[in-house]
Amino acid sequence: MAENGYHINGTPLSNSAVADGTSVLQPLPQAQTISADEIALYDRQIRLWGVKAQEKLRSANILLIGMKALANEIAKNLVLAGIGSLTVLDDQLVTEEDLGSQFFVSELHVGMNRAAAAISQVRTLNPRVALHADTENILLKPPEFYTVFDMVIATDLDLAPLSVINAACRFVNKPFYAAGSHGFYGFIFADLICHNYVIEREKSNLSTQLKAETVTRTIVASNTKTENGKQIEMVTKRELYSPINLANTSPLQPEQISSRRRKLQVLPLLSCLRALWEFQNSTGRSAPTNSQEDSKLFITLATEKHQELQLPNETLRSEFLRSFLDNVGSEIAPVTAFLGGQLAQDVINVLGQREQPIQNFLLFDSEDSKGSVYALHPIFPPLDGPVL
């Protein structure tokens, strides 16, 4: 035990180099203590979320799928935060286009595998984090592949592979995030299956009732502690989630379409994202071309999705449709930085079981500087009765 008394629970992983420059995950001894250097390095975040949360973060093993600009930002934030192990998986090669948006690769890496090329640069951010590069196709991995990970994050993939990965994660009960950027626009999706977290607040005179707060969130426990002479209430809440294939076809919550004013506030990006995924399913292509035929098909699909969501026609403007089409597949650093920061922070909160996580779609429109979260689920049962 170190003199500060901080102890790491779980089994962190170390990395050992192999001939191709990647690394192999190996278990470290069970007993690990946070060194004085680590206390100094992580002092600010330990003050923010506490030693226990840092311990959970320090032993976390995370899989990051895809290594483009958005994944670069996610990897940077998680590694700097001090996670235990990160596996980067990408079967694609570095291209000249990657050099304009990704900061872990250079001209020397063109033609190399993305994951293998980036891993050495990621390691310089925090040598304490165990790193591993996987160059295989994620769709060739069986569900058992995901069992060793505490969290799975998939970036910049079409809906079909995202659905496959999400299903595999659910099969082995692993939290899943998906994220993608399209120029000025982007999204984050979370399927944490069933997630408990704790909110700390000063205890009030009213007792906390164990009951449903929303259709997905329930208060399941309430405890108190004394801190600096004050009574602090620790409220445990539980969030239930839906997989991405169901969320993609689910309606908006009733309160979001209960009035015309609220309908006008819903980002048309939701309709366009659903239209893009429908385009992928119907054509087998990742994005529309500049052809008149593709543009017409996409606009038709976007209009249909907008109507399915019961949103007013005037919010799906032709200017927005054109802008979205022009941005599909492109990467803009400030947008990927924002999305990567938001996703990494949510992962840290989830691992530490602190704060309200994303539920379940976050959409970001940088042109209008708007970001909104939509809870998209197949059904909306009534909120009544106590927690049993």
Side-chain angles (χ1 to χ4, degrees):
M1 181 77 67
E3 64 180 5
N4 54 43
Y6 299 153
H7 185 273
I8 293 294
N9 298 315
T11 305
L13 298 173
S14 67
N15 59 306
S16 60
V18 294
D20 63 357
T22 63
S23 55
V24 178
L25 296 179
Q26 295 180 338
L28 286 175
Q30 180 71 21
Q32 286 280 309
T33 58
I34 298 179
S35 67
D37 287 344
E38 286 179 300
I39 294 297
L41 179 63
Y42 304 130
D43 176 71
R44 182 181 177 186
Q45 58 201 50
I46 288 174
R47 294 175 186 274
L48 287 173
W49 54 63
V51 175
K52 289 185 178 180
Q54 187 65 36
E55 287 177 346
K56 292 178 181 179
L57 190 63
R58 178 63 176 77
S59 61
N61 184 13
I62 296 176
L63 172 63
L64 177 59
I65 303 167
M67 201 51 179
K68 299 178 70 177
L70 176 54
N72 280 197
E73 294 287 351
I74 296 168
K76 177 194 72 177
N77 287 304
L78 292 177
V79 167
L80 289 175
I83 60 172
S85 175
L86 177 69
T87 296
V88 178
L89 186 150
D90 196 321
D91 66 339
Q92 299 298 304
L93 303 180
V94 177
T95 66
E96 291 186 358
E97 291 181 353
D98 294 329
L99 305 181
S101 57
Q102 301 177 38
F103 46 77
F104 287 136
V105 294
S106 66
E107 292 181 356
L108 298 176
H109 298 115
V110 173
M112 293 178 58
N113 173 269
R114 275 194 193 132
I119 209 76
S120 62
Q121 297 301 312
V122 177
R123 184 171 287 116
T124 63
L125 298 176
N126 191 345
R128 295 175 177 83
V129 177
L131 297 172
H132 175 61
D134 192 325
T135 62
E136 295 183 356
N137 187 331
I138 187 61
L139 296 180
L140 300 180
K141 303 287 189 181
E144 294 76 20
F145 167 75
Y146 300 94
T147 57
V148 299
F149 300 105
D150 300 299
M151 187 82 65
V152 176
I153 306 168
T155 63
D156 294 312
L157 294 174
D158 294 352
L159 179 62
L162 289 177
S163 298
V164 171
I165 299 166
N166 192 177
C169 289
R170 277 193 155 247
F171 185 78
V172 295
N173 197 36
K174 298 297 179 179
F176 169 77
Y177 283 90
S181 67
H182 296 288
F184 291 122
Y185 313 104
F187 76 92
I188 299 172
F189 168 78
D191 178 12
L192 308 180
I193 307 174
C194 178
H195 175 66
N196 286 5
Y197 61 98
V198 177
I199 298 292
E200 294 189 8
R201 61 194 184 194
E202 190 169 347
K203 185 171 176 58
S204 70
N205 295 328
L206 299 176
S207 60
T208 298
Q209 301 297 313
L210 305 187
K211 64 178 183 178
E213 289 189 314
T214 71
V215 294
T216 62
R217 184 171 65 248
T218 304
I219 299 175
V220 296
S222 176
N223 299 288
T224 59
K225 66 177 181 179
T226 302
E227 191 173 89
N228 298 324
K230 295 182 179 181
Q231 285 288 100
I232 303 299
E233 183 179 26
M234 300 176 292
V235 181
T236 301
K237 299 185 180 185
R238 176 173 297 156
E239 283 279 4
L240 300 179
Y241 286 78
S242 298
I244 194 168
N245 60 331
L246 292 182
N248 182 48
T249 57
S250 296
L252 290 162
Q253 293 189 39
E255 59 266 26
Q256 292 176 314
I257 54 174
S258 60
S259 69
R260 177 175 173 77
R261 180 182 61 83
R262 291 186 175 182
K263 288 181 179 181
L264 291 171
Q265 295 174 346
V266 177
L267 297 180
L269 178 57
L270 177 57
S271 302
C272 286
L273 184 62
R274 288 187 168 188
L276 177 62
W277 286 344
E278 183 64 29
F279 180 91
Q280 293 171 355
N281 288 336
S282 61
T283 67
R285 292 184 281 125
S286 294
T289 65
N290 291 326
S291 70
Q292 184 176 0
E293 181 180 2
D294 277 6
S295 296
K296 182 178 180 180
L297 174 58
F298 177 82
I299 292 172
T300 299
L301 292 173
T303 301
E304 291 175 354
K305 299 302 179 183
H306 209 64
Q307 292 173 347
E308 288 174 4
L309 291 166
Q310 303 180 47
L311 299 176
N313 293 332
E314 60 264 36
T315 61
L316 190 66
R317 297 174 288 106
S318 59
E319 296 86 353
F320 183 85
L321 288 166
R322 175 48 56 192
S323 178
F324 182 84
L325 283 170
D326 289 343
N327 278 271
V328 169
S330 62
E331 298 176 305
I332 297 178
V335 176
T336 57
F338 172 82
L339 292 170
Q342 291 291 313
L343 195 155
Q345 185 59 59
D346 208 63
V347 167
I348 291 168
N349 288 339
V350 167
L351 290 171
Q353 294 184 289
R354 295 169 55 87
E355 306 302 329
Q356 166 74 44
I358 293 172
Q359 174 63 280
N360 52 355
F361 258 104
L362 183 153
L363 301 181
F364 179 56
D365 178 351
S366 67
E367 281 197 305
D368 287 341
S369 299
K370 291 181 179 178
S372 299
V373 177
Y374 302 97
L376 302 173
H377 299 276
I379 56 175
F380 297 93
L383 301 177
D384 54 11
V387 178
L388 300 178

